[in-house]
Amino acid sequence: MTQYIAHMASLSLIALLTACGSEKSTVSDHQDGNRFFNTPPVNVGFWSVLKWNFTRKKHPWPDSVPVDTVVPPLSVASGMRATWVGHATVLVQTPGNNLLVDPVWSKRIGPWSWAGPKRYSRPAVEFQDLPRIDAVLVSHDHYDHCDMPTLERLAKERSRLGIAPLGTADLLKKAGFEKVVALDWWESTQLPSGDTVTLVPAYHHGLRWPWDRNTRLWGGFVVKTAAGVVYYPGDTGDGPHFDQIGARIGPIDLALMPIGAYLPRWFMHPQHIGPSEAISAAKRVGAKVSMAVHWGAFRLADDGFREAPDSLKALLARDPAAPDFRVVDMGQSVELSNVPDVVVGDSLTANARELAVAR
Ligand code: ZN
Ligand code: ZN
């Protein structure tokens, strides 16, 4: 039922879809003046959503998942530390940076607090235990990545700066961040530390309401710091963008790689990679270490609770060229102590736009 509610917007969207306007007027290879798009287009249209809803075979989840909460350090003096809070929420800490990726602390995700998929596991970091956050990074407008109550609280209590793709950044502005930076694909911005954040392409889509499909851009982030390079793909299907990111930015020191909400493949493959594609992506971007995310908190697709990580482990075990790909529990961290040879500040472009924020 919750999945049905979660996809009501998709279902009703197609019938209601009209060319409702957007304030964006730019035309590019992924924007037509009104909406953003992938090439080839992501097909999650009415008939495939309907077919999925009538043919679903949901694999089991427990009623709830126990999680031991942790208190992250206020900062780190060296190296890199990525703490998995749950789903796609990760706290990335390097010297001078506390970054929070796709923060969601709500008990349900959706347009209203009482609707939408429920949380099976609580966040592994209590909100009040979060350190100061130097920047909040939001990859796209879907509710499991862009949670307005969480963003509003972060803007009020923890962070001045929000960074997001074109259009999605407007939601951060609405949430009350003092400074909001909107990025197009391959654009970069400088963090307060002087390190850089680049938005990179992803194969996905945007939707919050039936009338706003693809009016906000989606993407992944590459954060280049003196302690190493972090890559978070956001939500994405497989595509040549992994090769492009590997060629233009790789190698990557730490990839926060989504693996879950991947079944059934016929429906999910254009929007979410699964374990086998995540391994392939890790290789193609040149990830020295990968950490599995986007599983275990919200039941968004047909895969069982631990199906994605278990499948990932099995695939890695029989891959003679298996990359260093770690499955951690919520609240655990991946720590990298090496300090690679990173040139900080060599942004690809520096034309990111800062949104004027009325306060
Ligand atoms: Zn998404
Ligand atoms: Zn997602």
Side-chain angles (χ1 to χ4, degrees):
M1 185 59 186
T2 52
Q3 283 74 19
Y4 174 73
I5 293 169
H7 288 279
M8 273 176 63
S10 297
L11 287 163
S12 52
L13 157 70
I14 307 302
L16 296 173
L17 191 61
T18 57
C20 53
S22 158
E23 71 281 17
K24 319 301 176 310
S25 56
T26 308
V27 174
S28 71
D29 65 357
H30 54 277
Q31 187 176 8
D32 66 7
N34 284 314
R35 292 172 194 274
F36 297 93
F37 60 90
N38 287 110
T39 305
V42 173
N43 178 19
V44 285
F46 175 74
W47 292 112
S48 54
V49 172
L50 200 64
K51 180 182 165 191
W52 179 47
N53 273 277
F54 280 104
T55 59
R56 292 190 67 170
K57 292 187 180 66
K58 290 190 242 177
H59 301 176
W61 278 58
D63 290 337
S64 67
V65 179
V67 173
D68 292 328
T69 54
V70 297
V71 178
L74 293 175
S75 61
V76 298
S78 65
M80 181 184 296
R81 179 190 174 99
T83 304
W84 186 36
V85 178
H87 196 56
T89 306
V90 181
L91 173 65
V92 178
Q93 296 178 283
T94 65
N97 298 298
N98 286 337
L99 308 175
L100 197 54
V101 175
D102 284 351
V104 179
W105 261 260
S106 292
K107 290 180 178 164
R108 284 187 183 272
I109 44 168
W112 303 283
S113 60
W114 46 268
K118 72 163 190 177
R119 199 165 191 130
Y120 282 74
S121 50
R122 65 176 177 164
V125 176
E126 300 285 359
F127 189 93
Q128 61 268 24
D129 291 333
L130 278 173
R132 177 207 77 247
I133 301 297
D134 297 288
V136 173
L137 277 54
V138 174
S139 66
H140 63 297
D141 69 1
H142 288 164
Y143 291 101
D144 60 320
H145 297 258
C146 184
D147 179 49
M148 289 305 283
T150 301
L151 292 171
E152 285 162 8
R153 193 169 175 197
L154 282 165
K156 204 171 172 187
E157 300 178 23
R158 286 293 185 282
S159 184
R160 291 180 60 241
L161 172 62
I163 302 171
L166 296 176
T168 301
D170 296 352
L171 297 171
L172 274 61
K173 190 167 108 177
K174 198 173 155 198
F177 284 91
E178 202 173 320
K179 181 178 173 184
V180 177
V181 176
L183 297 173
D184 200 354
W185 288 348
W186 302 112
E187 286 184 346
S188 303
T189 189
Q190 215 162 41
L191 292 168
S193 62
D195 298 336
T196 57
V197 175
T198 303
L199 186 76
V200 292
Y203 194 67
H204 201 57
H205 54 103
L207 180 80
R208 287 178 81 80
W209 297 100
W211 52 85
D212 68 0
R213 177 180 285 251
N214 294 347
T215 55
R216 305 180 193 93
L217 185 60
W218 49 92
F221 290 106
V222 171
V223 186
K224 217 171 229 197
T225 79
V229 180
V230 187
Y231 170 45
Y232 167 59
D235 275 357
T236 184
D238 201 355
H241 57 287
F242 288 125
D243 306 292
Q244 292 161 5
I245 292 160
R248 289 177 71 160
I249 300 181
I252 305 290
D253 293 287
L254 177 62
L256 314 171
M257 203 58 94
I259 62 167
Y262 74 109
L263 294 179
R265 290 315 287 149
W266 72 264
F267 181 64
M268 287 297 169
H269 85 88
Q271 30 188 336
H272 293 159
I273 54 174
S276 65
E277 292 145 321
I279 292 171
S280 165
K283 292 177 181 177
R284 285 148 64 200
V285 299
K288 292 175 191 163
V289 178
S290 298
M291 181 171 98
V293 301
H294 205 266
W295 68 275
F298 299 106
R299 195 177 188 180
L300 302 174
D302 292 354
D303 29 320
F305 167 61
R306 284 200 65 94
E307 197 163 355
D310 288 347
S311 167
L312 178 77
K313 285 181 185 171
L315 290 165
L316 290 168
R318 57 175 185 261
D319 182 350
D324 183 347
F325 203 134
R326 304 181 194 180
V327 174
V328 301
D329 291 332
M330 286 167 240
Q332 292 184 330
S333 304
V334 167
E335 292 184 53
L336 303 182
S337 56
N338 63 314
V339 180
D341 184 20
V342 175
V343 181
V344 175
D346 61 337
S347 53
L348 293 162
T349 60
N351 53 345
R353 53 197 65 67
E354 185 181 332
L355 299 190
V357 177
R359 288 181 73 84

